Amino acid sequence: MDRQDVVAVFVAVLVPLVTALAGVLSLLVQDWRLRRSRADRRRLAFEDATRQVAFTVEWWTARQLLPTTPETLQDATAVAQGWLDEASARVSAAEVQSPVPRGRLLLLYRFQHRSAKAIRIGFFIMLGVMALSSLSIVGTALAGGTDLGWQVVFLVLFGILALSLRFWAVSANSTGQD
């Protein structure tokens, strides 16, 4: 094997690795954004609940200053208890975290929309084409072939297309296109 063959084999191995690395990095950024948005939702829920509790306390204090009967005081207690329960439920709902699906890099989880499912099939086809292309490059290099340049270019293009299809599938599934 000469220098060109070594470079071709190196590129044939490097392209799928770079594609996988780009997918992993996109997942890390996606997870970071998801954690940040969860933290913001949680903070907003706590702020809303705090305001609601403060309002309930002030309302209860004002209600006690008015002349009341035991029946109206009991009704006011039920209303205040309902508001406090609502504030507690809001905070509890913000605490619930949706599970992160396994197999996210290869899109091995249930998609909701038909368009995203179709795009995922295209993604799997591109992964298969990339695997066959990588094997073809290694075989050509080992056989001493000279047609490695175009095969490497095609492999890179297939990798870019596979990444694009992956991002498109995730986007189509999350935006609700159907």
Side-chain angles (χ1 to χ4, degrees), residues 29-160:
V29 169
Q30 195 176 37
D31 286 348
W32 173 75
R33 288 181 58 206
L34 184 64
R35 280 192 308 271
R36 196 177 87 199
S37 67
R38 281 183 188 158
D40 287 344
R41 281 194 305 269
R42 186 173 184 263
R43 182 182 49 80
L44 288 174
F46 270 103
E47 289 174 0
D48 286 346
T50 301
R51 284 192 294 270
Q52 190 164 359
V53 168
F55 172 77
T56 303
V57 168
E58 290 177 17
W59 180 83
W60 178 252
T61 304
R63 186 73 181 165
Q64 286 180 332
L65 293 176
L66 296 173
T68 60
T69 64
E71 293 82 25
T72 58
L73 195 57
Q74 191 175 18
D75 292 341
T77 302
V79 169
Q81 185 64 44
W83 288 342
L84 292 175
D85 290 343
E86 184 181 315
S88 176
R90 184 175 295 138
V91 170
S92 296
E95 298 279 330
V96 174
Q97 295 182 1
S98 60
V100 176
R102 298 176 190 250
R104 288 178 21 199
L105 180 61
L106 294 176
L107 304 177
L108 299 176
Y109 54 93
R110 182 177 298 274
F111 276 33
Q112 302 299 320
H113 305 286
R114 269 182 267 139
S115 60
K117 291 176 185 177
I119 297 167
R120 178 174 58 181
I121 290 170
F123 169 71
F124 289 142
I125 290 170
M126 277 298 106
L127 288 182
V129 169
M130 283 179 59
L132 291 175
S133 180
S134 295
L135 291 175
S136 172
I137 290 173
V138 171
T140 302
L142 292 176
T146 59
D147 190 18
L148 293 175
W150 283 108
Q151 288 180 347
V152 170
V153 169
F154 284 131
L155 180 63
V156 171
L157 290 176
F158 293 146
I160 292 169

Side-chain angles (χ1 to χ4, degrees), residues 165-177:
L165 287 172
R166 186 198 178 285
F167 295 138
W168 188 19
V170 170
S171 175
N173 193 50
S174 65
T175 60
Q177 298 173 358

Side-chain angles (χ1 to χ4, degrees), residues 8-18 134 138 155:
V9 169
F10 178 73
V11 170
V13 172
L14 185 66
V15 169
L17 292 176
V18 169
S134 295
V138 171
L155 180 63

